[in-house]
Amino acid sequence: MARVTRRKFLKVSGAGALTAKAAGMAGILATSRAPAYAQATTVHWLKWNDFVPAGDQLLRQSMLAEAEKALGFKVNLETIGLNDLQARATAAIQSKSGADIIMAFNNNAQLYAESCADVSDVCEELAAKQGGFYDLAKAQSHDGKKWAAVPYCIIGALIAYRKSWFDEIGVTKFPETWEAYREAGRKLKAKGRPIGQGLGHTVGDSPAFWYPFLWSYGGREVEADGKTVKLNSKETIESVKFAVGFWKDAHDEGGFSWDDSNNNRAFLSGTICASLNGASIYIEALRKPDQYKTEKGAQMKGDILHAPLPKGPAGQFGVHPFQNHMIMGYSKNQKAAKDFLRWFHSPAVYEKWFIVQKGFATGPTKTWEDHKVWNEDPVMAPYRVAGRLGRVYGYAGPAGQKAAEVLSKYIIVDMYAKAAQGMAPEEAVKWADGEVRKVYGG
Amino acid sequence: MAIAQATIVLPAKSRTRLLEDERWLAFALLVPTAVLLGLFIAYPFVNGIWLSVTDTRVGVPGEFVGLKNFYKVWNDSIFRVAVWNTCWYTLVTTVFKLSLGLWLAMLLNRSFKGKAFTRAFILLPFIIPTVLSTFAWKWMFDPTFSVLNWMLFQIGFITKRVNWLGDPDLALVSVMVVNIWRGVPFYAITLLAGLQTISPELNEAAAIDGARPWQRFWHITWPLLLPVTMVVTLFSVIQTFADFQLVYVLTGGGPANATHLFATYAYQLGVGTGLLSEGAAISLAMFPILFLVVIVQLLYIRRVEVR
């Protein structure tokens, strides 16, 4: 074998690269060598570690290979923790390099809209074929001028509760109003089975509970014009006053420091009676039926039901964590990335992923409400229409930059936390109103 | 190829002659350090200053807005809480880390069986990656499954569980405890190195003259150890003031902002909200306070060394 010295290698590869750059295909043919940097298209897809691990397994084991076969290019999937997604997106946008497709959570795509490729063509096509997107999907993916991200899925947030424990206190149907829920919670807490709800700085469960709670009393951070701040109102104060007693009477006070996984652990270990959550508690109980058992030794999966958040004086609302995919403006593979998302959301392909989610993630378009998966397990049935009932953070204003700032500063959540920790409700609302005004410039 | 032709190749002799000149040699030796410092310290710092006086958001180049961001954060009640928390956190943990570290160093400076093993073992909290050990602490402080609560309950110290990270006051104390646990080995090992430079003869002579242990410590060990102590404290204060990982993992700044520090709040605004300019302004607000602390300490170190 001929010996290749370092000098010779550099000379040859350098010459190849220079020639290719300068003379294109003719140069490559002249040197009879492919340039060192020539590469096939690969789409880099960055998303979270799915709370339903079977979803990522399916992607890795078969779907990405199918994508390569169907589209003619490779899709490189990278999964990271939910809390790290924003840091990665920020670094990628600022350095103009990184993944071609990045998953965004809730209204984050609105923060990065200027750095996203226009995916209106993909979204309009999907909407036309699949019965249209839910309002909450459009509100968080469309910046008013263009679709900045392709809606991926909605994670329904409903209350998971222990049916037998509610039955024991004579509540055979899940409470429909906050008063009834508080009363049931009070009785259950007295028996050492409190309601478990996060009231801290978490991305998912805490805001998904306390924002709809505020709305159900008629409170709101800003009017529909997105400018007039109106948090300090009679309705908000009423909601905070109720929350203080509700927290003390019925809740596990450890919730001040819970993250988004604490309630899952507490529920599955039998220390709380109910908690607002995605379906992951139930799905975990299904996955390991012999590990999670009731105090009577029965499988816990048979004692879990789901219900929407109760009603307040102004109505019944919910926030359902939402995910979409941004194709980054800096990406050189935008066309391939669009082709991939188009392919992924085609009914025959998306259905495979949708089925393994077992209802934890529902489709962003209305057509998925009619899927047979909803008939398979009545416990999951309430998640079927979760997308219809959801509002977006920032209501009554738009789900844009300002709403994201109020959310990420946890102003609404902390308003309730401060009051629950002893601050007068009026003071807590006044504080929060002041902070929200600074954000909206009011 | 053109590049290769354009390269000026100095004859080997003249290159050697150039490096014989001390000014050129010093310059050549300093260049790598200067480049590294410039790339990784000066550039981010200057870029941070620029960001803080613009309205830059993620992906949106900003325009110059003067001191608007500083004005905004100054009027931000969460920022004020973060300032207070950071100062209090740094002060309390530094005092404890210094006292416990010194105490540990004095103990480790004695001769006993298994000395080498113990010294290595003491370093464990410092060696384990911070995020990993902090997750372990998070489990120990868990409101539902806390092993600390279980232990305290078993020995009869408490009758109902303690909400370590959920109570605003206790949460900051808990974060401080973890910081102290992690920081003590750094003090202990560095001070131990300082202690070993003190000649045992001094202590022996003082002992023969009738000095009690406390007098020997106060009049011999402490003054001789002071320069090392000051340097260790200086490093520690800077690190603690800019601490991020502990709070980010343990509480995320909650409950109700009770544990936010400069770095966690800057991250929340800069990354969580995409307001890079405001995040930079918060980070830079750390600078004057830290600068003052460092200057005072450096002046003190100089005075001690001169003495």
Side-chain angles (χ1 to χ4, degrees):
Chain A
M1 196 179 153
R3 190 169 169 267
V4 180
T5 62
R6 190 174 48 176
R7 190 176 294 270
K8 200 172 171 188
F9 172 77
L10 287 173
K11 229 179 193 175
V12 170
S13 58
L18 277 174
T19 319
K21 205 165 194 176
M25 192 49 76
I28 294 170
L29 292 173
T31 56
S32 313
R33 283 185 196 94
Y37 55 78
Q39 283 172 1
T41 303
T42 301
V43 171
H44 182 180
W45 177 19
L46 178 70
K47 66 183 273 296
W48 76 330
N49 289 316
D50 204 321
F51 270 22
V52 181
D56 287 344
Q57 276 166 21
L58 178 77
L59 288 170
R60 289 205 165 93
Q61 282 167 6
S62 61
M63 286 182 78
L64 295 183
E66 286 169 24
E68 190 174 356
K69 211 171 157 191
L71 301 166
F73 55 80
K74 201 169 173 329
V75 179
N76 179 14
L77 173 66
E78 185 190 359
T79 55
I80 57 172
L82 170 62
N83 289 337
D84 301 325
L85 266 179
Q86 266 199 291
R88 279 290 295 274
T90 304
I93 290 168
Q94 286 303 106
S95 64
K96 293 188 168 51
S97 68
D100 301 298
I101 302 173
I102 300 181
M103 192 194 101
F105 201 72
N106 289 332
N107 56 3
N108 288 344
Q110 297 280 7
L111 296 180
Y112 313 130
E114 287 93 339
S115 307
C116 295
D118 184 349
V119 287
S120 302
D121 50 346
V122 181
C123 294
E124 279 158 16
E125 199 180 303
L126 286 176
K129 285 182 185 165
Q130 299 185 16
F133 286 108
Y134 289 110
D135 290 346
L136 73 90
K138 184 168 183 183
Q140 299 183 100
S141 309
H142 195 285
D143 73 349
K145 294 174 210 146
K146 65 168 197 257
W147 284 86
V150 180
Y152 176 32
C153 63
I154 296 163
I155 298 171
L158 297 176
I159 293 179
Y161 67 99
R162 292 286 299 273
K163 186 178 179 323
S164 65
W165 288 0
F166 277 78
D167 284 349
E168 277 177 33
I169 55 158
V171 180
T172 51
K173 192 173 171 235
F174 191 78
E176 288 187 356
T177 62
W178 290 116
E179 282 79 8
Y181 191 34
R182 175 179 175 175
E183 189 51 27
R186 193 180 58 75
K187 287 179 185 163
L188 283 160
K189 187 173 180 178
K191 297 178 93 176
R193 297 164 175 174
I195 296 170
Q197 200 57 60
L199 185 43
H201 288 192
T202 75
V203 184
D205 297 333
S206 289
F209 182 89
W210 295 102
Y211 271 76
F213 182 81
L214 169 71
W215 299 331
S216 72
Y217 275 81
R220 56 186 62 181
E221 68 189 52
V222 69
E223 292 298 338
D225 60 9
K227 288 175 191 158
T228 318
V229 174
K230 215 180 172 183
L231 185 63
N232 193 355
S233 63
K234 193 162 62 70
E235 291 81 6
T236 308
I237 294 171
E238 278 309 305
S239 83
V240 175
K241 280 182 180 165
F242 183 85
V244 173
F246 184 27
W247 185 258
K248 205 172 158 201
D249 290 350
H251 281 86
D252 181 328
E253 292 180 42
F256 283 124
S257 60
W258 278 7
D259 61 26
D260 286 331
S261 61
N262 274 91
N263 59 339
N264 291 44
R265 288 197 295 273
F267 192 103
L268 289 166
S269 61
T271 62
I272 57 171
C273 65
S275 186
L276 180 81
N277 206 49
S280 53
I281 290 176
Y282 177 63
I283 289 173
E284 179 69 4
L286 276 182
R287 214 159 65 91
K288 297 176 185 165
D290 295 324
Q291 184 176 331
Y292 303 112
K293 297 203 169 166
T294 68
E295 68 285 2
K296 289 167 189 150
Q299 291 181 344
M300 192 182 278
K301 65 174 186 172
D303 194 29
I304 301 174
L305 285 181
H306 295 113
L309 288 172
K311 285 178 202 148
Q316 184 176 26
F317 304 99
V319 161
H320 302 295
F322 169 74
Q323 297 173 349
N324 50 18
H325 283 123
M326 307 177 285
I327 294 179
M328 307 315 296
Y330 57 72
S331 166
K332 293 190 172 70
N333 297 320
Q334 288 180 11
K335 188 185 170 304
K338 279 186 186 181
D339 287 346
F340 170 69
L341 290 179
R342 241 187 222 112
W343 175 84
F344 180 77
H345 282 280
S346 61
V349 177
Y350 190 80
E351 185 186 27
K352 292 179 196 166
W353 181 82
F354 176 74
I355 287 172
V356 297
Q357 292 287 318
K358 293 180 187 291
F360 174 76
T362 67
T365 50
K366 291 169 189 162
T367 188
W368 297 101
E369 281 180 20
D370 305 323
H371 196 273
K372 60 178 190 284
V373 93
W374 301 115
N375 304 326
E376 286 168 8
D377 186 350
V379 179
M380 290 302 297
Y383 284 95
R384 186 173 75 88
V385 289
R388 284 194 211 165
L389 304 172
R391 273 185 174 173
V392 293
Y393 293 120
Y395 177 84
Q401 163 81 35
K402 306 286 183 191
E405 187 175 343
V406 173
L407 176 65
S408 71
K409 282 183 169 176
Y410 299 101
I411 296 171
I412 303 295
V413 173
D414 284 348
M415 172 177 78
Y416 289 106
K418 279 174 185 279
Q421 284 166 352
M423 187 184 266
E426 291 81 359
E427 282 303 305
V429 174
K430 200 174 149 194
W431 168 82
D433 185 85
E435 292 302 314
V436 173
R437 276 176 202 281
K438 284 173 202 162
V439 173
Y440 282 93
Chain B
M1 296 302 104
I3 296 165
Q5 280 165 4
T7 310
I8 300 161
V9 183
L10 286 172
K13 229 177 185 183
S14 77
R15 249 184 301 178
T16 321
R17 205 171 296 154
L18 205 61
L19 288 177
E20 273 170 11
D21 183 338
E22 269 191 19
R23 281 170 306 173
W24 278 106
L25 180 65
F27 178 76
L29 292 175
L30 276 175
V31 163
T33 314
V35 168
L36 282 177
L37 286 177
L39 270 178
F40 297 111
I41 296 186
Y43 171 72
F45 183 68
V46 172
N47 198 22
I49 293 176
W50 168 244
L51 278 176
S52 71
V53 292
T54 65
D55 57 0
T56 307
R57 289 192 291 118
V58 174
V60 185
E63 283 173 16
F64 182 75
V65 292
L67 297 176
K68 199 176 154 196
N69 292 319
F70 290 97
Y71 178 76
K72 190 177 170 191
V73 297
W74 182 250
N75 287 305
D76 180 349
S77 66
I78 305 174
F79 173 72
R80 291 181 182 193
V81 171
V83 173
W84 166 251
N85 284 348
T86 311
C87 294
W88 184 232
Y89 175 74
T90 309
L91 180 73
V92 173
T93 56
T94 304
V95 168
F96 274 92
K97 282 188 282 191
L98 177 59
S99 325
L100 293 173
L102 185 59
W103 179 51
L104 204 57
M106 301 283 284
L107 289 178
L108 290 174
N109 199 30
R110 296 179 177 197
S111 278
F112 57 91
K113 229 179 175 180
K115 191 166 73 173
F117 175 76
T118 313
R119 282 180 184 176
F121 195 72
I122 290 294
L123 271 177
L124 265 183
F126 195 63
I127 295 167
I128 303 170
T130 314
V131 172
L132 205 64
S133 56
T134 311
F135 264 109
W137 276 99
K138 195 176 179 183
W139 273 95
M140 291 199 276
F141 288 136
D142 189 282
T144 317
F145 308 105
S146 168
V147 68
L148 291 175
N149 279 348
W150 182 83
M151 271 165 41
L152 292 173
F153 183 79
Q154 293 299 323
I155 55 176
F157 266 47
I158 55 171
T159 51
K160 60 176 194 173
R161 67 182 177 179
V162 181
N163 200 355
W164 297 104
L165 299 174
D167 180 274
D169 297 326
L170 262 183
L172 194 59
V173 172
S174 304
V175 174
M176 285 174 180
V177 167
V178 182
N179 180 282
I180 293 165
W181 171 83
R182 198 182 138 66
V184 164
F186 173 66
Y187 274 84
I189 291 297
T190 323
L191 293 178
L192 178 62
L195 281 176
Q196 287 178 340
T197 62
I198 300 172
S199 167
E201 287 161 12
L202 293 171
N203 266 306
E204 284 162 14
I208 292 166
D209 288 345
R212 291 169 181 278
W214 173 249
Q215 288 171 318
R216 294 206 297 272
F217 170 78
W218 191 244
H219 295 290
I220 297 170
T221 312
W222 179 246
L224 291 172
L225 197 60
L226 202 52
V228 179
T229 310
M230 292 306 289
V231 173
V232 179
T233 311
L234 179 69
F235 283 153
S236 171
V237 164
I238 294 170
Q239 276 183 346
T240 312
F241 210 82
D243 205 353
F244 171 79
Q245 298 174 76
L246 290 186
V247 171
Y248 182 71
V249 173
L250 284 176
T251 62
N257 303 313
T259 56
H260 256 317
L261 304 179
F262 271 108
T264 51
Y265 192 46
Y267 178 84
Q268 187 173 303
L269 279 188
V271 175
T273 317
L275 298 171
L276 290 177
S277 52
E278 280 182 39
I282 290 171
S283 296
L284 272 179
M286 227 188 292
F287 184 70
I289 308 174
L290 215 47
F291 189 70
L292 199 70
V293 172
V294 170
I295 290 292
V296 169
Q297 275 188 309
L298 285 176
L299 286 176
Y300 193 73
I301 288 170
R302 228 165 99 183
R303 221 182 73 188
V304 168
E305 279 173 349
V306 168
R307 199 167 55 186

